[in-house]
Each structure stands twice: as structure tokens, then as C-alpha cells.
Amino acid sequence: MREHLGRKHSIRDGAVPPPNTADVPNPSALHPQMVQSTLLSGRFAASAVGADAPPGAFQPVVPVVVKEEQHEEASVEAAEAKHTCTTYPPSTAGAGSTSNANSIPNPDMDPSYGFSPEEINSTLSSSGGSSNNSGTRGCSDKRAGVFTELILEMVFRDLQPLSVVEERGFRLLLSCLEPNYPVPSPSLLGSLLWHRYHVLKQCLRQHLETSLAPRCLALCAEHWRSVEGCGVEGSGQFYLTVSSHFVDSNWRLARCVLETRPIPEHKGGTTEAGPVKFADTLKAVLSEFHIPENYVFCIVYDTPSEYQQVFPGPSRAPALSLPDSWEPLLCAGEALKICIQEGLNIETVRQALTDARGIILHFQHDTDAAAALNQKAEAANKGSARLVLDDPGRWATAIDMCESLLELKWVVSSVLEEQKAAPNLADHQWRLLHELVPVLRTVRIAASFLSEDINAAVSALMPCLQGVSRLLGQNMAECGCPLVRGVMEKIRSGMEKRWRLSDEEALLGCPAVLASFLDPRFKEMRFLSPHARSKLHDKVKELLSIQAYAEDGAAGQEADRGLEIGENEVGGNAPGLGLDDPLPIPTVASLDSPESCASAEEGDSIELQQNGTVVPVSSPEQVNESAHTGSSPSKVGSGGRKRSAGMAGLTSPLRSDRQLSARMRMSPLPQSMYDILLGEDPTERMPEIQQQLENYIAEPLCKRSLSPLHWWRNKEHRFPAVARLARKFLAIPATAIPADRAFAPRECPVAHRRAMLGPKHLDHILFLHQNCDYVEQLKGSPSGHGESDHNSSVSGNQSRDSLYQTLVSYDSKV
């Protein structure tokens, strides 16, 4: 029996369950999760009897460990690793001789959480007076390490302060889960956090150094402020969070936070100091991760209210201090908020919103008015309707306030007329709110469109803004209220000023327009005229040519470095060619290069220019034949005489061949009957990159509810040159912060918890919070990710079709 109790019920050293005098079921017959609640309920029932209760009314219960059934063949290690549910009274955590870091002082213990000291003493005395917690075992080092890692992950994943380990409720929870676990101090957690941060930072730095290419990175700069008391002198501290956006090799959009730095508060003065410090901060962050400046081609930034004079506009903001190759873009969420605030800033509209806000505040503060409102709303079958107060700093909440007031218009008016405690809205103000709601609802649809994950890139911005401008123009023509027409005109003029929606010449050079063309959902560019589309196609051809030349130049530099190393290894002597040596084959121009034309047929004439000498060669096969026969390319036209020994007059073979291929030119092809009758075939002289572009334009449109990155992952092999350009432009986000936060009607909990963190470990926590999952994906296998993305993007497509049709369809019904 002793062996059975120790093996099956973990009862050893004479510790036996107490008599079941309080109608408490035997713990061994209970489910593990029910034991603690049963013990506490028995203790509460005994305490409710009072002092006059008989002595046998309550029998304190010793700590009991209930373990799941295990096979006897299992090893000791497996038994220790198996889940254990321990029911332990919190106040007995420190009763044993083993020190316990989770024990809660008895004076601070709430009686509803544990047992009194008298009950503990009676329990210990009834079990033989032993001071050891015989039913529990000490926390092993392995289990303690797991607990510490989980606490550390909780800190940076949930943005919790390090002082959470000192909170009484947290220690109480740990004391129930693992009584003998020593809780780490905040200083120890800070050291572990610092180590975890530097390991992850090293992994991310190595990944960025090896995977990025020139002009493929987009930076985002977010200004934010901590709450009062978390900064210097009791006021909030300003911070700048810099993050990087790029599309990796698996066509996944990666957003990695690089650094969060405190910045001084702007107090006026010169307008040039802000952009200069802003640019210096960005360059310092890039140097911290060993990222060259030419790898960045776009910077998306927001404009806090304190810096609006420093950064006057989206296109001219910090351009004076940033490198010329960086394109500055204002955050779309910030710019759209400014446009709507300008429209709502009309005096009559602002006064109507202020009066509506006052009515809602009256019902929130006056209990009698609120009771009368609820009574009348239930009588009118509108008991579920509630008044919603707006946030003046968030325009989306004004829609909820107006809609809630309009739904309860007659109920609110009746209560205000009866009580005469607050003024009601005038008739023209009610009509104004009624006409204003559809306008704001149109912009809210656009915000919902841009907040989706598949529309987070800047490629969806221009089609969305053009759709909003078109819908506002239609509403202006149909609206009969001059004030609402003025609001719509203000919003449209603000959008025109910041994005130049009607200036097609300015749009052609905008990265957002180029990204829209490279998005297979919007490549038709219906908001542009046919002439502007043609010019946009020429612009893309130019970018593809520049990209091809840059890649050829980079490949040439790599080849030169490799050849210099090879020549240094052989002492500068050119190796001779033997019968068994690999033969140097002249390279042909890259398929993505503008110089790459149709393949030469037999009989075509090609001119090779080497060291100033023009030599006619009948076909590229002769070049290969000369390499096989050992003849010099400069002597092919004179009968193919043998080359002098040692090839002393030539440079290394690969470099010579690369120079030859770079100077290949096609001579006029002989005219065929097709050329005489139909004219020259344009595809004969069209470079490969232009053929890819024409094929991409002719490709059917992608469904608007699908991810463009998923489309390019499947089509990259068909348009490799265009895909490389799309990888760069589709990495630009429309907002400086995640889109769901930028267009959220209320402040999200993540931003609120971030503002509560202290400055000491703020950078480490935010870095781990954003980058931990991405680095773990890099370490693991990426297989199956694309399928999950595809399934998630397909779900809910039918519900989005009406939203997409409203915003992105530009077919005129007139």
C-alpha cells in the first residue's frame, strides 16, 4: 500500500489524506483541475458557519499533489517532464524548511485566497508535525529555466514592464503553479533580455547583409510619445522608431524594427534643424546594421503635430537633408487624417459636432437623464442603441457619434424637451449631421480597404484615392447642402495638394503609381489617360534597362575581382590550354540586358571590336570554334592561323570574352518576304526585358481579393526582370506604422502598453516584440507558408467584392 500511495498518488513519508469529515471528496477520485476549487469551497463553507460551529465542522486539508496516470515502464525523466497539477494553499508556500521566493507575506494575504496561519499549524500538526512539504518536490533547474524563458517571452511579446515579476498577483499565480520556483528579479530579467536582444540582432544583421540588394529597402519612421511619468521631468518622452520593409526571396513582406531612439522635443526655432537630425538618425541606424545608404530607395514617415512646420509636405519634407536617391513619402494614414480634419474644420460643421458632443456628455454625466433615455429607447424598441462619444483626434469616431445620435434622434429630443437641462440641436444641425455621415462613410470605406493586409503596400493607395475622389465628386453634384459640399471640396483639395491626383505628369514619377502598375490587380491604370499610360510604360522600360545595366556592372565587378585573385595565384602568367583543360566559352549578353536581341542565325554578320580592331565574324559559333582550335579571335578573319605560344598578347580569357560580348552588335538582317510585305518584325529587335514587359501587360488581371505577392511568387519565372522591379516597389508600405493601427478608430492596446514602458529596456523589448517571429521563421523551414497565405487570402473574398467594386472600379456609368 505504501508503494501504491507513493507511485500513484505521490504520498510519501507517512503523509496521508485527512479524514473526510467535511464532506470533501477524496482528492484521488477528483479531476486534477477540480481539487483546488473543492478545497477552497470547503474552507469557505466552514468559515461561514461562524464561531459557534462544532469542532468537526471544518477539517483543514494538507497540500495534495495529484498526478496523471503514468505507465510503470516510463523512465524517471519522462515522469518528471509529464504535466503535473499541484494544488497548494498559497499561504503555506513558506511553511516548509525550503525557502520559497513566491511566498506572500501573511499580513498582505487576502483571506479569500488562502488559509489562515492557525489552519496551517493545525494541518501540520495533524500530519505529524513535520515542517517539510512532503507532498511536493523542489523545482528542478530545467523546469526553472523553462519558467524563466516563458516569463521573458511574456515581457517582450505582451510589452510588459520588467517590474511585473514583483507584482503580488503574478507571484501568487506562480506560487500556485510552482511553489518552489525562485522568481527572477527585474535586474536579472534585464540581463537576460539584453542577451536575447543581442543574439537576435546579430542574426537579423547577418540576414540583412546577405539577402538585401542595392535600392531594395524601404524605411519607415514613426514618431510617438510615452505617457506622462515615463519620461523626463514627469512629461512624456518623444521617440523615433525606425523599421525596414522588404520582400524576401519567398515573396513575403518583411517588416523588421531596427531601433527605437529618444529624440528631443521640438520647441520651435530653425526649421532646418529637425530634418538634419532626422536624416542623421536614419543614417546612424543604418550604420548600426551595416546597411549601405544606397540600399535604401524610399522613406515613409509620419508627421507629429509638434513637427508639422518642420516637415511641411509629403513630397518636399526632409528632402533637403536626405540623400537624393531616397524618395520621401508621407504616411497615408496621417495625410488622410489631415485632409479630413481640414474638411471638418469649417466653423458651422465644427460647432455642430461640438454641440452633439455636449449632448452625449450630458447623458453620460446625468444619471436621471440617462435613465429616462433608456426607458424611452426601450419603449421605442431601440433598447440596444447606445450613444457613442467621439475622440476629437480620430476622425473615424465622429461617424459613430453622428450615427448613434441620428438613430436616437426622437428619443434624445424628447428627453431634452422634458428636462430642459441641456440644449437640443437645431433643425439645420440635425440635417447637417444627416448629410455629413455619407461623406465620412465613404472615407471610412477607403480606410477599411487600406487597412487590409493585402492592401498594405503603396500599390493600392493610388487606385483607392482616385476612387474616393471620384465618389466625392459624384456626391458633390448630387448634394443639396452647401455646407456638406464645402466639406467634400475641402477634403478633395487636400488630397489633390498632397498627392496631385489630377496632375498626370507628376504622377508618372511617383513611386506609388509605379507600384500600382507592378501590382497585377491594378496594372491597367484606369485612372490614367491612354497617353499617360504609354508614357508610364516607357518609364518602366527605362527602369528595367537601368536595372539590367546595374546588374551587368555588378556581375562584371565580381568577375574582375575573381580574375584578379586568380591571376595573383598563378603569379600573373596566363595559363596555357591543354587538350583536357576546360575551354573558355564566350558569354552572351544577359537576357535581361537591352543589348540582348534575337539570337543570330547562320549567315548573320556580327562585328567584334577588340582593342580598336573591327573583325567580321560570320556567326558566334566561329568564336567557339576558334576557342577549340586554339586560334586567336583577332586572327579569325585572316584564315585562323595558330596562336603564338603562351597567349602573351591577350588578357585572361574570361575578361576578354566579357569585353567581346559587351561589344556585340547586330548588323542589319537580310529582308525576307515577310519583311518586304509586312514590314520589319518588331519582336526581332526587341530586347528580352521589353518582351517580358509586353507579356506582363497582356497577362490577365489578378483578382483584387488576392495577394499580389502570391501572384508574383507563381509568375516570377515568366517575367524575371519585371519581378525584380516589382519586388522593390511592392515593398513600400502605404503607412509608417502597420495599416491596421494607422486606420484604427481607437488607439490599439499595443500602442497603449508601449507608451507605458520605461526608457531603460524600451528598445530591447520593442525589437524582440517585432522581430522574434520573423527570425524564428528564418531559422525554420519556410515550406507551406505560401499555401497558408493563399488560403487566408481566399477566405472572405465574396464579402470584400462589394468594397473593392466601390473603390477600385473606374468604369464611368455616364
Side-chain angles (χ1 to χ4, degrees), residues 43-64:
R43 188 250 178 186
F44 294 152
S47 61
V49 173
D52 298 333
F58 174 74
Q59 176 68 33
V61 183
V62 297
V64 179

Side-chain angles (χ1 to χ4, degrees), residues 342-648:
E342 291 177 354
L344 299 179
N345 202 28
I346 299 176
E347 180 61 30
T348 308
V349 178
R350 185 174 70 249
Q351 186 62 40
L353 294 176
T354 302
D355 294 343
R357 195 177 300 116
I359 291 176
I360 297 178
L361 288 174
H362 166 70
F363 282 103
Q364 288 183 351
H365 296 159
D366 193 336
T367 56
D368 295 336
L373 180 67
N374 293 333
Q375 183 179 2
K376 290 182 176 293
E378 291 178 358
N381 294 327
K382 295 182 178 180
S384 60
R386 292 291 182 269
L387 295 178
V388 180
L389 185 64
D390 72 327
D391 183 0
R394 295 182 176 269
W395 60 270
T397 58
I399 309 175
D400 300 331
M401 183 182 70
C402 296
E403 289 178 343
S404 63
L405 266 179
L406 291 173
E407 185 178 3
L408 298 175
K409 173 183 176 181
W410 301 112
V411 178
V412 170
S413 300
S414 176
V415 174
L416 293 179
E417 288 294 332
E418 290 179 358
Q419 296 187 353
K420 304 293 183 179
N424 193 8
L425 295 178
D427 292 339
H428 70 277
Q429 290 180 326
W430 284 110
R431 289 195 300 270
L432 177 61
L433 295 183
H434 181 75
E435 295 285 343
L436 188 62
V437 166
V439 177
L440 297 180
R441 192 177 294 161
T442 301
V443 188
R444 185 170 64 178
I445 292 176
S448 301
F449 176 82
L450 294 175
S451 62
E452 293 187 347
D453 291 338
I454 60 175
N455 300 320
V458 77
S459 60
L461 179 62
M462 280 299 167
C464 179
L465 295 178
Q466 294 285 351
V468 171
S469 180
R470 178 179 59 85
L471 292 175
L472 290 179
Q474 294 177 358
N475 294 336
M476 288 175 60
E478 300 172 358
C479 182
C481 180
L483 289 175
V484 178
R485 283 203 305 268
V487 172
M488 290 187 285
E489 181 62 31
K490 279 277 190 180
I491 295 176
R492 289 191 68 188
S493 62
M495 294 169 57
E496 175 66 29
K497 179 176 65 176
R498 285 168 177 82
W499 287 291
R500 301 181 183 180
L501 300 180
S502 60
D503 188 358
E504 291 186 342
E505 292 295 332
L507 289 178
L508 294 180
C510 179
V513 177
L514 293 171
S516 299
F517 173 73
L518 295 171
D519 191 324
R521 303 173 298 171
F522 314 119
K523 63 180 180 178
E524 288 187 349
M525 310 296 289
R526 297 180 182 179
F527 56 87
L528 294 180
S529 63
H531 177 68
R533 292 178 209 167
S534 178
K535 296 183 68 174
L536 179 63
H537 295 170
D538 295 338
K539 176 72 173 177
V540 175
K541 291 178 184 178
E542 181 183 354
L543 292 177
L544 290 174
S545 301
I546 295 174
Q547 175 182 265
Y549 279 121
E551 292 173 355
D552 291 344
Q557 292 179 1
E558 292 293 336
D560 289 344
R561 285 195 291 267
L563 292 173
E564 290 175 0
I565 294 175
E567 291 174 359
N568 293 334
E569 290 178 356
V570 298
N573 298 325
L577 290 178
L579 294 177
D580 299 331
D581 294 337
L583 299 177
I585 300 176
T587 58
V588 184
S590 174
L591 291 179
D592 299 338
S593 172
E595 299 177 1
S596 173
C597 302
S599 61
E601 302 290 342
E602 292 186 4
D604 297 342
S605 176
I606 301 178
E607 295 183 357
L608 302 180
Q609 185 174 356
Q610 173 71 12
N611 297 332
T613 304
V614 179
V615 182
V617 180
S618 61
S619 66
E621 284 77 4
Q622 278 191 343
V623 181
N624 297 337
E625 184 180 356
S626 65
H628 282 277
T629 57
S631 59
S632 172
S634 62
K635 297 181 181 182
V636 171
S638 60
R641 293 184 296 267
K642 297 290 183 180
R643 177 182 0 191
S644 59
M647 302 169 60

Side-chain angles (χ1 to χ4, degrees), residues 56 94 145 169 173 250 284 302 331 340 357 394 483 529 559 597 615 712 792:
L173 175 63
N250 294 323
D302 60 355
C331 173
I340 298 173
R357 195 177 300 116
R394 295 182 176 269
L483 289 175
S529 63
C597 302
V615 182
W712 274 112
S792 62

Side-chain angles (χ1 to χ4, degrees), residues 107 142 159 296 299 312 332 414 430 465 479 523 598 605 659 666 769:
K142 183 178 180 180
L159 299 182
V296 180
I299 170 70
S414 176
W430 284 110
L465 295 178
C479 182
K523 63 180 180 178
S605 176
Q659 293 173 353
M666 295 295 296
H769 174 78

